[in-house]
Amino acid sequence: MQERDREWPQESELVVCTVENVKDFVAFVSLDEYGGRQGLIPISEIATGWIKYIRDHIREGQKIVCKVLNVDRNRGHIDLSLKDVNEHQRREKIREWKNESKARKWIGFVAEKSGEPATAIEDAIIDKYGELYAVFEDIVTDSDATVKKLGLSKKAGEALVHIAHESVKIPKVEVTGQLVLMSAESDGVMVIRTALKKASEAKTAGADIEILYLGAPIYRVKVTAADYKKAEKALEKAANAAIAVLEKAGGEGKLVKKPKSGKNQ
């Protein structure tokens, strides 16, 4: 994502606004994401069709999502449209705005904890992500790589990881499979133990692996991750690590996958 101008909105951008003053033929709003810059919505952009009373459609204090029609920086004018935003766009924009508001608050905590300026931390994140919230999700799934990419000080990085894990709950999915491990060798039990150890050590960033004994020669492998693609990859990686140990020792193994299931954590 490209870094947006943090001082002025772009044409066609969706923006969250607070309605400040409603006149007969125009509504004046402040843009929440741009320091309260003022924008206006002419009555023709309030709603489709003929409007008898503008206040039937918009009122003071209301939180709305508008589309930017025109930006005149020299005159300080921002023209907006309310009617060009559908319900799906409105919900998604409000969700994004709420997430960014939470992220900015969390960065304040990071700054307080680390002694680093909040603006410096925000700038480092915006430089890499173009937004703030996404970095917190990435930290939860892969802390080391994400912090390294940001290039923050050690204190700021540690505080960011702490706040992210404390604040963000990422929905998880679960993938399970049965690992069938067989060895006819005299030391077969030890070989299987080694294979299971290798499977549990075959870590994939952002995925948790649990292995349960169901009864020889079957073992249940459960993987939880942020998405099915990552979970499937982790399951196969763990299974392949175990199977490789068995085959090297003259045994055999196979993975039998089970249906996917969703799980909120």
Side-chain angles (χ1 to χ4, degrees), residues 29-176:
V29 302
S30 60
L31 279 66
D32 292 43
E33 300 159 284
Y34 292 93
R37 284 193 181 277
Q38 300 298 299
L40 64 87
I41 314 169
I43 192 170
S44 60
E45 294 296 334
I46 296 290
T48 55
W50 182 69
I51 298 175
K52 185 175 182 181
Y53 299 112
I54 190 171
R55 291 180 185 275
D56 289 341
H57 303 273
I58 192 170
R59 62 187 183 278
E60 284 87 350
Q62 189 177 4
K63 195 75 69 177
I64 59 175
V65 176
C66 294
K67 181 179 180 180
V68 178
L69 299 178
N70 183 60
V71 177
D72 187 333
R73 299 190 183 200
N74 293 328
R75 299 173 63 194
H77 286 184
I78 302 172
D79 297 320
L80 305 164
S81 173
L82 179 59
K83 72 177 184 181
D84 283 354
V85 180
N86 62 41
E87 182 59 23
H88 172 72
Q89 290 173 318
R90 188 194 71 79
R91 285 199 304 267
E92 284 299 301
K93 180 60 187 179
I94 289 293
R95 181 189 62 80
E96 174 193 309
W97 171 70
K98 286 182 177 179
N99 282 342
E100 287 295 285
S101 297
K102 287 189 288 188
R104 189 163 278 108
K105 181 177 70 175
W106 296 338
I107 289 171
F109 295 154
V110 172
E112 185 178 330
K113 193 176 182 68
S114 66
E116 299 282 344
T119 52
I121 299 169
E122 280 192 22
D123 288 344
I125 296 172
I126 291 290
D127 182 57
K128 296 296 182 183
Y129 284 83
E131 59 176 298
L132 299 175
Y133 185 79
V135 73
F136 288 90
E137 292 185 325
D138 280 4
I139 285 173
V140 172
T141 56
D142 192 352
S143 299
D144 292 343
T146 303
V147 171
K148 184 178 180 181
K149 180 168 64 176
L150 293 174
L152 295 170
S153 69
K154 183 179 179 181
K155 279 189 175 181
E158 289 174 348
L160 200 58
V161 170
H162 175 77
I163 295 297
H165 283 277
E166 189 179 73
S167 306
V168 178
K169 296 291 183 182
I170 298 180
K172 297 281 188 178
V173 298
E174 183 179 293
V175 171
T176 62

Side-chain angles (χ1 to χ4, degrees), residues 201-220:
E201 291 174 348
K203 300 292 186 181
T204 297
D208 296 320
I209 299 172
E210 183 181 358
I211 300 176
L212 302 171
Y213 175 64
L214 296 181
I218 302 172
Y219 302 83
R220 181 171 180 256

